[in-house]
Amino acid sequence: MRVAGLGFRAGATPASLRAAIRAAGGSDGLAALATAAAKAEAPVLRAVAAELGLPVRAVAPAALAAQPTLTASPRVAALHGAGSLAEAAALAALGPGARLLAARSVAPDGMATAAIAELTESP
C-alpha cells in the first residue's frame, strides 16, 4: 500500500499539489493522501483528492513529530514538529513498518511538497 504525504502553503493551488505528487512518483497505486490534521480540510487538498478518487488521512501532531524524516525544514519543524510534513504524514498514515520511497519532492512553484511511503505486507 502506498500513501502520498503532502505539505503545502496557504496559497497553493491544485496544480501545485498535482505537480508535487507527480514529482514524487505520481498517483498510480496510491491508496490515500495524507497531511497534518490542521490542513486536512483545506479546499485545495480536498479538490485534488476528489480528482484522484482518494481519501484524505488527517495525521495528528504527535504522530507527525514521532516520524524520522529524510529532510528537515526549520519552518516546518516549528509549525508541525516534523522535519518534513510530506514525509512525516506519509509515514504516519501507514504506521509501523512504512518506508519512504524517496525524500520529499517540491512542486516547481515551491508551494507544495509530496513524499510517497509504502507499507509492504508480510506473506
Side-chain angles (χ1 to χ4, degrees):
M1 175 184 297
R2 288 183 177 185
V3 169
L6 292 163
F8 52 94
R9 294 179 183 255
T13 64
S16 301
L17 272 65
R18 285 191 299 268
I21 293 167
R22 234 181 350 265
S27 61
D28 288 347
L30 293 179
L33 302 179
T35 195
K39 293 179 168 272
E41 295 299 324
V44 66
L45 177 61
R46 290 294 171 171
V48 171
E51 286 174 16
L52 297 174
L54 297 172
V56 173
R57 294 188 183 173
V59 181
L64 291 172
Q67 303 305 313
T69 59
L70 299 175
T71 63
S73 161
R75 179 180 172 278
V76 171
L79 291 170
H80 301 288
S84 163
L85 177 53
E87 293 173 11
L91 291 167
L94 286 173
R99 68 175 182 85
L100 291 170
L101 299 184
R104 68 176 168 78
S105 295
V106 182
D109 66 3
M111 298 296 284
T113 61
I116 298 174
E118 180 176 59
L119 180 64
T120 35
E121 299 295 326
S122 300

